[in-house]
Amino acid sequence: MERYKRNIKALSLKENISLNNSKVCVAGCGGLGGYIIEMLGRLGAGTITAIDGDVFEESNLNRQLLMDEASIGKSKALAAKERMSRINSKIKVIAVREFITQANAEQLLGGHNVVVDALDNIPSRFILQNACENLGIPLVHGAIAGWYGQVSTIYPGERTFSKIYVDNKMQGLEKELGVPSFMPALISSIEVSEAVKILLGKENLLRNKLLFIDLLNNDYDIIELG
């Protein structure tokens, strides 16, 4: 446990072992997903499934941790696996070079303890929510646009996306507002903390709540979703 000794006190030995035995699915390996996979791997999450059918483009360099200048045209999912093999060879990373669809979602997500949303579009998030509900798996949601970000934790049956995406500030704004490098790092950190709390059975999750962050004005608001 030398690798994880700095986890101790924040996380007990028993909790570290529990993380080592966990299976986490990360949907998307771009801005949010790269940081999520990085943190989960360094924490010692035993199995991480990294799903993304996309390849890197030059415009990803401003914010995507898994990318460097030599990565243009390379698979994001494979980059996640390769990076984790250098950082923590003790864990298992399964790279899935597919986009999540209605047809494959349940097959890809099944068997995991928690799913973390790092997608970049709303229709795919609803597919994710439906699949997680059918499989009985908790889902941690995160989204970013400009100086703004949001996080929520969704348990089967809560249908949180139907409450968030009725008239939401985040809807369709990523391309319009851009994504500076600090936003994926911030929102992914909160997503990982929620995922870890789920895996370890801790309380005070963002269930039926939306944490909305406006860094431009330093506002952090928790919105009750009912």
Side-chain angles (χ1 to χ4, degrees):
M1 293 297 290
E2 176 67 18
R3 173 188 291 271
Y4 305 116
K5 72 177 185 180
R6 292 303 180 109
N7 289 354
I8 303 297
K9 294 189 178 177
L11 304 172
S12 69
L13 178 59
K14 182 180 178 181
E15 288 174 331
N16 274 275
I17 292 170
S18 182
L19 278 181
N20 290 160
N21 292 326
S22 67
K23 295 182 179 181
V24 183
C25 180
V26 182
C29 301
L32 287 171
Y35 282 99
I36 291 165
I37 293 163
E38 179 88 3
M39 285 181 272
L40 287 170
R42 289 183 184 273
L43 275 169
T47 301
I48 301 171
T49 301
I51 304 174
D52 201 318
D54 204 2
V55 298
F56 291 114
E57 300 175 359
E58 187 175 1
S59 61
N60 300 148
L61 278 166
N62 80 311
R63 68 196 184 283
Q64 296 195 12
L65 183 66
L66 298 176
M67 188 188 184
D68 57 31
E69 290 182 350
S71 300
I72 296 173
K74 294 184 178 180
S75 162
K76 294 183 180 183
L78 285 180
K81 182 179 177 70
E82 290 166 5
R83 181 173 174 85
M84 280 301 104
S85 71
R86 297 192 300 272
I87 291 170
N88 191 349
S89 60
K90 306 286 186 186
I91 67 170
K92 180 180 181 181
V93 177
I94 302 167
V96 179
R97 300 174 64 181
E98 296 183 47
F99 293 106
I100 290 176
T101 67
Q102 213 145 11
N104 67 15
E106 291 190 26
Q107 180 184 355
L108 295 178
L109 305 184
H112 294 89
N113 302 115
V114 63
V115 174
V116 187
D117 166 24
L119 298 172
D120 62 1
N121 69 89
I122 294 164
S124 293
R125 289 195 176 106
F126 275 95
I127 291 171
L128 204 64
Q129 177 179 257
N130 292 340
C132 285
E133 180 167 305
N134 291 339
L135 294 165
I137 302 173
L139 169 65
V140 179
H141 160 65
I144 48 178
W147 291 74
Y148 313 106
Q150 64 187 36
V151 180
S152 185
T153 290
I154 307 167
Y155 271 64
E158 292 176 348
R159 310 297 300 169
T160 301
F161 284 151
S162 298
K163 302 169 187 174
I164 293 176
Y165 289 117
V166 176
D167 182 21
N168 186 270
K169 292 180 182 178
M170 299 300 298
Q171 189 160 356
L173 292 183
E174 180 179 340
K175 290 184 179 178
E176 182 180 335
L177 298 181
V179 183
S181 62
F182 47 81
M183 286 310 300
L186 172 63
I187 297 303
S188 61
S189 295
I190 301 170
E191 286 191 86
V192 170
S193 71
E194 287 288 290
V196 169
K197 286 192 284 186
I198 291 169
L199 292 170
L200 301 181
K202 294 187 178 292
E203 298 180 350
N204 298 319
L205 294 164
L206 289 166
R207 292 182 64 179
N208 296 305
K209 298 175 182 177
L210 181 71
L211 171 62
F212 186 82
I213 299 174
D214 172 357
L215 278 188
L216 199 56
N217 297 295
N218 289 318
D219 288 333
Y220 292 72
D221 296 314
I222 293 180
I223 302 163
E224 297 285 344
L225 298 175

